[in-house]
Amino acid sequence: MHIFANPKRFLSLATWLTPMCLVIGLVMAGGALAYGLLYAPADRLMGETVRILYIHVPAAWLGMGGWTTIAVASIVELVWRHPLATIAARAAAVPGAVFTAICLITGSIWGRPTWGTWWVWDGRLTSMLILLFLYFGYIALAGAVNREGASSRIPAIFGIVGAINIPIINRSVVWWNSLHQPPSITLGKSAIDPAFLWPLLIAAVGFSFIFGGVVLARMRMILADIQTEARLRRKALAA
Amino acid sequence: MSAVLALLKRDLALLTPGAHGGGGRRGGTMLPLLFFLAVAMLYPFAVGPDAPLLARTGGGVIWVAALLAAILPLDRLLAPDVEQGFFDQWALRGISEELVVAVRMIAHWLSFGPPLMLATLPAAALLGIDGATLRIVELGLLAGTPGLAAIGIIIAALTVSLRSGAALSGLLVIPLAVPLLIFGAGSLSTGGEGGLALTAAISLALIAAAPFAGGAAIRAAREG
């Protein structure tokens, strides 16, 4: 893992990995969404509205996956002081927040016709909303730390404390049994018909590639920022 | 052990009103309490003096007001000691940041929790809450305010080296405190008796985690 402590080696890999992730992701997610919109069968109970599933569910997974990325990168940062972990955690925050917001918005649009309401204070919806505000807090804290040149371990600690929320979201549907359905897909088995499941899984993999590509692109951006700053400082010292 | 008692004595002298003049040297316990009462007073102005509505929703309003009041003292909770180098001196003497943070958390709760529970009495009168509900609110605050103190000390330690810390701490405290609020205020609804136990459980978990998160944050702030 410490091979990539050298940003140059990481950058040489990320330079071609970023467009590759984005292209593969866009093709897979776009294809799955097009298939889901045009060819997948309508649901017996929910009718045509079920097609929003192909964006809602991957967004929910990636919204939680984003904070898991932050938490894992934060642990790596605190334990091994890996320089790229800090950058990875910061880079994952904004795409994670965007996917969480997409999940909440599509869920709300889906809830209107199927549940008859835009919003209910149900366990899962509430904990996704808390997750969104955790992202806002993390982004604000990481921004302040970056601006004021404080230790990058400060947002890392908040990332780990906030990770307590992830298992709560994961279990919330089981604990508070209300409007949101219990999980249909668990490791190894699925209550969803294959006609819905395959485009859903392809969309999820595609969105994950997009997520990875965006994280890599943002990591390169943060590294470039750091390099520019270091170069300016050297020039100022030499002048 | 004597170090713990000495620290606790010093912290209490700093945080509570008394010998050092009204409000304690740190700007005081009185400020959050007055803010708490002001929020409780604000709510009837906003929704109108409808007694049954106020009585039904008052318990929740008290919880929201308590959460908001808990944010106020955070920026003075640890920052003066970090700025003046007290933590460096303690570290030199072999007193760990975790221990100092744990003691500060206890002192913070003592100066904040019980007074808040007292201030709940006039707030309950303002909102017209009946005796049975008031009992559950007080029990809920007894179970929940230690958790609020733990979240507060974590966030105070995280923002201690930031100039924008005071503005940030509200945004950071609220999402972490939501589970406490849900179960604490949830214990007021019918069939929510388990809420008190869950509030206490969350508080205990937070209290256990806070010294370590806070201590690590203070060390991180020192290394800058």
Side-chain angles (χ1 to χ4, degrees):
Chain A
M1 188 170 57
H2 276 264
I3 278 183
F4 296 112
N6 180 350
K8 208 167 213 170
R9 198 170 284 149
F10 166 78
L11 280 176
S12 68
L13 193 69
T15 312
W16 60 269
L17 213 54
T18 311
M20 210 179 74
C21 277
L22 286 174
V23 168
I24 294 177
L26 284 174
V27 168
M28 282 181 80
L33 285 185
Y35 176 85
L37 201 60
L38 301 173
Y39 301 108
D43 184 73
R44 182 169 63 88
L45 291 174
M46 291 186 275
E48 301 289 339
T49 59
V50 77
R51 299 181 195 289
I52 207 166
L53 170 89
Y54 304 112
I55 188 161
H56 175 71
V57 174
W61 284 343
L62 285 169
M64 287 188 276
W67 199 279
T68 315
T69 310
I70 291 178
V72 171
S74 299
I75 292 171
V76 173
E77 147 89 4
L78 287 179
V79 176
W80 290 288
R81 309 241 175 145
H82 196 288
L84 277 181
T86 321
I87 294 166
R90 258 178 69 200
V94 170
V98 169
F99 274 115
T100 308
I102 291 176
C103 167
L104 283 168
I105 293 166
T106 54
S108 179
I109 295 169
W110 197 5
R112 187 73 192 92
T114 49
W115 297 343
T117 172
W118 294 106
W119 183 259
V120 283
W121 288 98
D122 147 279
R124 177 159 277 193
L125 278 70
T126 312
S127 35
M128 270 325 251
L129 192 64
I130 303 173
L131 182 63
L132 186 64
F133 275 89
L134 279 174
Y135 274 119
F136 291 156
Y138 182 90
I139 292 168
L141 182 65
V145 162
N146 189 40
R147 263 195 315 282
E148 303 185 16
S151 165
S152 61
R153 292 196 288 152
I154 290 172
I157 296 167
F158 184 73
I160 293 170
V161 173
I164 305 164
N165 197 43
I166 298 293
I168 296 182
I169 297 174
N170 199 274
R171 296 283 88 203
S172 59
V173 184
V174 185
W175 288 342
W176 292 278
N177 204 351
S178 68
L179 274 183
H180 198 288
Q181 61 155 33
S184 302
I185 305 171
T186 47
L187 279 182
K189 56 175 190 256
S190 160
I192 299 185
D193 189 89
F196 297 114
L197 183 63
W198 282 110
L200 174 61
L201 288 183
I202 293 171
V205 174
F207 277 117
S208 306
F209 269 109
I210 294 177
F211 180 84
V214 172
V215 170
L216 283 175
R218 289 181 55 81
M219 287 177 75
R220 287 169 60 194
M221 185 190 78
I222 296 170
L223 279 171
D225 265 352
I226 296 173
Q227 278 175 351
T228 322
E229 203 140 297
R231 197 168 298 151
L232 283 175
R233 194 174 303 143
R234 273 202 305 276
K235 272 191 177 164
L237 283 174
Chain B
M1 200 60 210
S2 64
V4 172
L5 287 178
L7 276 174
L8 188 62
K9 222 175 126 197
R10 171 181 181 274
D11 288 352
L12 281 175
L14 284 174
L15 293 174
T16 50
H20 301 286
R25 267 192 281 167
R26 288 288 162 81
T29 351
M30 286 315 287
L31 214 60
L33 289 184
L34 293 174
F35 180 74
F36 169 79
L37 284 173
V39 173
M41 180 195 74
L42 208 55
Y43 180 69
F45 285 140
V47 301
D50 175 8
L53 177 71
L54 287 181
R56 204 175 69 244
T57 54
V61 174
I62 286 180
W63 266 95
V64 171
L67 205 162
L68 293 177
I71 297 169
L72 278 195
L74 296 188
D75 63 322
R76 307 304 295 161
L77 195 55
L78 292 165
D81 288 335
V82 170
E83 283 159 14
Q84 293 163 15
F86 277 98
F87 273 93
D88 301 336
Q89 290 297 326
W90 286 320
L92 282 175
R93 292 197 176 189
I95 303 174
S96 68
E97 286 80 4
E98 282 79 1
L99 184 72
V100 180
V101 168
V103 173
R104 185 66 51 89
M105 176 172 67
I106 296 168
H108 173 48
W109 182 76
L110 284 174
S111 69
F112 170 76
L116 192 82
M117 290 168 66
L118 271 180
T120 299
L121 297 175
L126 284 175
L127 295 165
I129 298 172
D130 63 50
T133 316
L134 179 62
R135 204 183 123 260
I136 303 175
V137 171
E138 291 284 13
L139 281 176
L141 286 176
L142 184 65
T145 44
L148 282 181
I151 294 172
I153 201 99
I154 294 176
I155 299 305
L158 283 174
T159 55
V160 84
S161 59
L162 300 173
R163 279 188 305 281
S164 48
L168 264 175
S169 44
L171 185 61
L172 298 178
V173 164
I174 288 174
L176 292 180
V178 166
L180 275 177
L181 182 78
I182 289 177
F183 292 119
S187 64
L188 293 163
S189 60
T190 44
E193 290 79 14
L196 282 181
L198 280 168
T199 312
I202 295 174
S203 277
L204 285 176
L206 286 166
I207 291 168
F212 300 102
I218 292 208
R219 273 196 301 276
R222 178 182 299 142
E223 287 166 22

